[in-house]
Amino acid sequence: MSKELIRLRDVCMAFDDELVLDHLNLYFNDKEFLTLLGPSGCGKTTTLRIIGGFATPTSGDVLFDGVRINDVPPHKRQINTVFQKYALFPHLNVFENIAFGLRMQRRPDPSDPTGKRKVKIPEKEIRERVMEMLEIISLKGFENRKPDALSGGQQQRVAIARALVNRPKVLLLDEPLGALDLKLRKDMQIELKRIQQQVGITFIYVTHD
């Protein structure tokens, strides 16, 4: 039996006088791949933005593991997002694009009993985690390439690896395959399901396709 991870309870969202979400009740289980399907403008992306912390609902509650997180900023949620525009850093190679979030992180120094001192993630661990991600997205051997030397599908996989390397509990995917041609889109849909099963976390996928 899967455990409930996220619940939206009576969530309303209004922009000016337009009600985009009207008392939405929805839940997502741990390790689930769930798709939100609907035409443009029906509130799919707004729902993702509320889950990710990029928008605060007009009313209602967002619960994560039973705890209300309406006021928790995006960087403090165990949730990452992949957008349609992959936003890879053009001047960094594949390895450094994936490693970027890990290099920004600070965690408690194990040698400091107060737990107040923060240290960077050791280079050895960064390398291991990035190489593990390259294996998962089937791009081992591509670590020194720049984004402009990759196909659209490969860039997409790098963006997914960059989001997953921080080990979130949830990955939000907002029309992530919209820029790809039909055949590549079909291939990537299968690829996403494989990646989700391999990493074993919740994927919430938004599409109008």
Side-chain angles (χ1 to χ4, degrees):
M1 181 72 178
S2 288
K3 171 172 150 303
E4 180 178 303
L5 189 61
I6 296 172
R7 180 170 286 271
L8 304 180
R9 193 166 60 199
D10 277 334
V11 167
C12 293
M13 189 68 176
F15 296 105
D16 300 322
D17 292 332
E18 188 190 354
L19 195 60
V20 177
L21 299 178
D22 184 5
H23 294 281
L24 178 66
N25 287 284
L26 193 58
Y27 69 89
F28 305 90
N29 288 327
D30 195 20
K31 301 180 175 58
E32 178 173 54
F33 192 122
L34 194 129
T35 301
L36 301 179
L37 171 68
S40 296
C42 73
K44 305 183 302 293
T45 294
T46 300
T47 302
L48 271 204
R49 289 176 57 78
I50 286 171
I51 294 168
F54 302 106
T56 305
T58 311
S59 63
D61 297 314
V62 183
L63 306 174
F64 188 96
D65 235 351
V67 178
R68 187 177 183 273
I69 58 165
N70 289 41
D71 305 320
V72 177
H75 67 278
K76 291 196 172 167
R77 298 188 184 196
Q78 292 175 292
I79 299 171
N80 270 347
T81 308
V82 176
F83 298 101
Q84 184 173 342
K85 293 187 170 57
Y86 316 136
L88 298 178
F89 300 113
H91 62 292
L92 297 180
N93 63 21
V94 166
F95 184 97
E96 290 303 331
N97 262 286
I98 297 172
F100 184 80
L102 295 177
R103 295 202 193 287
M104 295 291 106
Q105 265 188 47
R106 299 290 180 272
R107 61 189 183 195
D109 183 348
S111 65
D112 175 20
T114 68
K116 288 181 180 173
R117 190 163 62 235
K118 299 277 197 284
V119 291
K120 292 180 179 181
I121 295 177
E123 196 57 39
K124 181 173 179 287
E125 184 185 333
I126 289 176
R127 175 150 198 88
E128 283 170 3
R129 283 170 68 173
V130 171
M131 295 312 286
E132 178 194 10
M133 274 299 134
L134 285 165
E135 187 88 49
I136 287 171
I137 62 165
S138 308
L139 283 179
K140 212 167 174 192
F142 285 69
E143 46 268 41
N144 294 319
R145 290 202 194 178
K146 293 281 179 64
D148 63 3
L150 302 175
S151 70
Q154 289 167 340
Q155 289 182 26
Q156 171 64 279
R157 280 185 273 168
V158 173
I160 289 165
R162 186 176 62 182
L164 289 175
V165 78
N166 288 329
R167 296 176 178 159
K169 283 197 173 175
V170 179
L171 186 66
L172 307 177
L173 299 126
D174 188 9
E175 295 280 7
L177 311 181
L180 306 179
D181 66 48
L182 185 62
K183 183 184 181 316
L184 196 49
R185 203 153 66 225
K186 296 283 181 212
D187 292 346
M188 276 303 299
Q189 284 167 353
I190 295 163
E191 188 72 2
L192 278 175
K193 188 65 188 160
R194 180 190 66 76
I195 291 170
Q196 186 261 342
Q197 286 171 338
Q198 198 168 341
V199 296
I201 67 167
T202 302
F203 276 33
I204 303 174
Y205 180 95
V206 151
T207 181
H208 62 264
D209 176 12

